[in-house]
Amino acid sequence: MTANRFGRDELGRMLHVQSHVVREALPDDFAASTMAAVRRAKAVATQQNAVRASASGSRFGLAGVALASLVVLASLAALVLQRQESEQRGSGAGEIVAATPTQPANADTVIAMATSPDETPSIRTVTLKSAIVAPIQHEAEALLETGRDVGLTIVSALPAQPRAWTEYLAAGSGGIGGVDGIGGNGGAGVSPVGTGH
Amino acid sequence: MNTPLADAAHAAHAPSDERPIVAQAHAGSLDAFGKLVTRFQGGVFNYLLRRLGSRCDAEDLTQETFVRAWTSMATYDDRWRFSTWLYAIATRLAIDHARSARQRSAAGQHEWSDASARAVAKNGTLDPAAPLMEREARRNLWLVAQQMLGEEERSALWLKYAEGFSSDEIARTLGRSSIAVRVMLFRARRLLAGALAERGEGDEAMIAVQEGADVP
């Protein structure tokens, strides 16, 4: 046992003070890169939800077929997304993915093609809260106001409920047939939204 | 085991302006989560840096900590401070990382040993600046801790004195009992006190670490 001018609190004080000396700072853009990684995780989760929705929708005839096709779109979109994000990270450009926060289990997914001012097409995967067309348009327009792209065409939509998807088709909004690749002209869905295209 | 009363006490430690932000993030707001990233990224990074000793690894795991936090947000229990939960994620990632690193190290150890042996034979020491660096390092207790303490002890010490965590919060973060944490802290302080005494400051610099001071 020892006792002198350094008590247990003194050692604690030294550790506390010296912790400020050894603290290191992160790069200025660290928070931005972290949030980009978080959004990528969000996009992946959205894609996984689309796959799960497809599996559950296969029991619903036409809706099931449509949902299965959308999974292909979602997979392609994710690939394009990853590649473009990788390129954009290198150039320091802005984000591609814009996702509205919602409960993933109840989410609808819209796969949209956007055209940037330099005419470079990009894919947006947008998670929406509603299953009907008008709110989708509304959400897409709201997205355009916050995004940097000037044109956005929804090429496909994946409602959470198969019934809503059937209603979507019956409303004459188009199907998924005729999509010329991802975001090709003549694709399905609501188009155009916003300016461009 | 923590009582409901103790849990409530921990929740009460959360800054009042933090709770609404955490609640918004919990509801799915990326903007709110971004604020949490900005608020806690420095602390998580320094904790991981102190634990791992590598800036690059600490940066990678800090980012991964927040990605995991976002994807697991539904599992957050708001009876505890958000930072406690966040540091627990960081701790688990650090443990996984260390395990992987040990496996990689074991695979490459033989090759490294040959190369370093040749360097020592040629220069007499692995790094000519090593003695100078060692003296410099011993001026700061945290750098001494880096050399003397294990990962978990360093982590406990950092959470206690740099982040101001309570013993219960450290226990929850590290997945240990509160008693184990107190023993860990006691041992860490005793080792550091011994190191200070060896710095040549004689009796005046002797740190008082009473036997069993931290052990209930």
Side-chain angles (χ1 to χ4, degrees):
Chain A
M1 183 180 296
T2 57
N4 51 44
R5 71 186 179 88
F6 285 105
R8 192 156 60 98
D9 290 341
E10 177 62 12
L11 180 61
R13 188 193 65 78
M14 290 172 70
L15 285 166
H16 177 71
V17 169
Q18 292 185 1
S19 72
H20 293 285
V21 177
V22 297
R23 280 180 194 272
E24 294 189 34
L26 283 162
D28 289 340
D29 60 350
F30 190 81
S33 67
T34 297
M35 287 310 292
V38 167
R39 289 191 182 93
R40 281 196 297 279
K42 173 91 176 178
V44 169
T46 301
Q47 183 190 357
Q48 289 170 343
N49 285 334
V51 172
R52 279 196 291 273
S54 173
S56 63
S58 61
R59 294 173 293 162
F60 294 90
L62 176 62
V65 173
L67 291 171
S69 301
L70 282 167
V71 172
V72 177
L73 282 175
S75 301
L76 288 170
L79 287 174
V80 174
L81 197 68
Q82 287 172 3
R83 190 184 69 230
Q84 290 186 338
E85 277 205 300
S86 175
E87 291 169 358
Q88 290 225 340
R89 278 201 304 279
S91 64
E95 297 295 326
I96 290 178
V97 179
T100 56
T102 184
Q103 294 297 321
N106 301 320
D108 301 331
T109 300
V110 164
I111 302 164
M113 187 189 81
T115 306
S116 60
D118 62 0
E119 296 299 315
T120 305
S122 64
I123 299 295
R124 285 183 184 271
T125 303
V126 188
T127 306
L128 301 173
K129 295 174 183 174
S130 174
I132 59 176
V133 176
I136 289 176
Q137 283 182 298
H138 178 73
E139 293 264 6
E141 286 167 353
L143 172 68
L144 281 172
E145 289 175 7
T146 60
R148 66 190 180 84
D149 297 329
V150 296
L152 185 148
T153 301
I154 296 175
V155 296
S156 207
L158 176 61
Q161 301 299 323
R163 178 180 173 82
W165 172 256
T166 307
E167 289 172 353
Y168 176 61
L169 292 177
S173 301
I176 59 166
V179 175
D180 182 16
I182 292 291
N185 290 329
V190 186
S191 76
V193 177
T195 58
H197 285 287
Chain B
M1 180 173 291
N2 297 303
T3 64
L5 191 62
D7 286 346
H10 294 309
H13 290 158
S16 58
D17 64 331
E18 179 184 308
R19 287 182 217 154
I21 301 174
V22 172
Q24 288 169 25
H26 196 266
S29 168
L30 273 176
D31 285 343
F33 191 75
K35 290 176 186 169
L36 294 173
V37 170
T38 304
R39 178 174 294 194
F40 290 110
Q41 62 174 0
V44 171
F45 167 68
N46 275 291
Y47 167 64
L48 287 168
L49 182 61
R50 228 29 63 192
R51 181 167 181 122
L52 301 170
S54 159
R55 184 182 174 88
C56 289
D57 289 346
E59 285 184 0
D60 287 348
L61 290 193
T62 299
Q63 189 166 94
E64 184 62 18
T65 296
F66 286 105
V67 172
R68 293 282 180 95
W70 171 257
T71 56
S72 308
M73 204 67 195
T75 67
Y76 168 61
D77 181 351
D78 63 5
R79 287 178 302 170
W80 290 85
R81 286 199 301 179
F82 182 74
S83 57
T84 306
W85 183 65
L86 203 57
Y87 280 76
I89 294 174
T91 300
R92 283 197 295 274
L93 287 172
I95 290 170
D96 290 346
H97 175 83
R99 191 178 295 131
S100 302
R102 275 196 296 272
Q103 289 169 352
R104 286 195 301 272
S105 174
Q109 193 169 26
H110 183 68
E111 188 177 340
W112 185 89
S113 295
D114 286 349
S116 58
R118 283 195 296 275
V120 171
K122 183 178 178 182
N123 303 325
T125 177
L126 189 58
D127 182 353
L132 184 64
M133 290 168 64
E134 188 177 338
R135 276 200 303 276
E136 188 68 25
R138 291 180 72 84
R139 289 179 185 170
N140 191 297
L141 281 173
W142 289 107
L143 300 177
V144 176
Q146 189 75 35
Q147 296 170 341
M148 297 184 65
L149 305 179
E151 273 185 14
E152 204 167 37
E153 287 169 334
R154 284 202 307 272
S155 300
L157 210 63
W158 183 265
L159 290 172
K160 173 86 175 173
Y161 293 108
E163 298 298 331
F165 276 32
S166 68
S167 294
D168 284 346
E169 286 173 324
I170 297 170
R172 191 167 177 85
T173 301
L174 299 181
R176 294 300 208 101
S177 71
S178 193
I179 292 176
V181 165
R182 290 179 189 185
V183 171
M184 218 183 284
L185 288 171
F186 168 73
R187 182 173 179 275
R189 279 208 308 266
R190 189 171 58 180
L191 284 169
L192 288 179
L196 268 189
E198 288 175 10
R199 288 198 328 193
E201 296 179 17
D203 292 338
E204 289 186 1
M206 194 66 183
I207 304 300
V209 181
Q210 298 181 344
E211 292 294 334
D214 244 331
V215 182

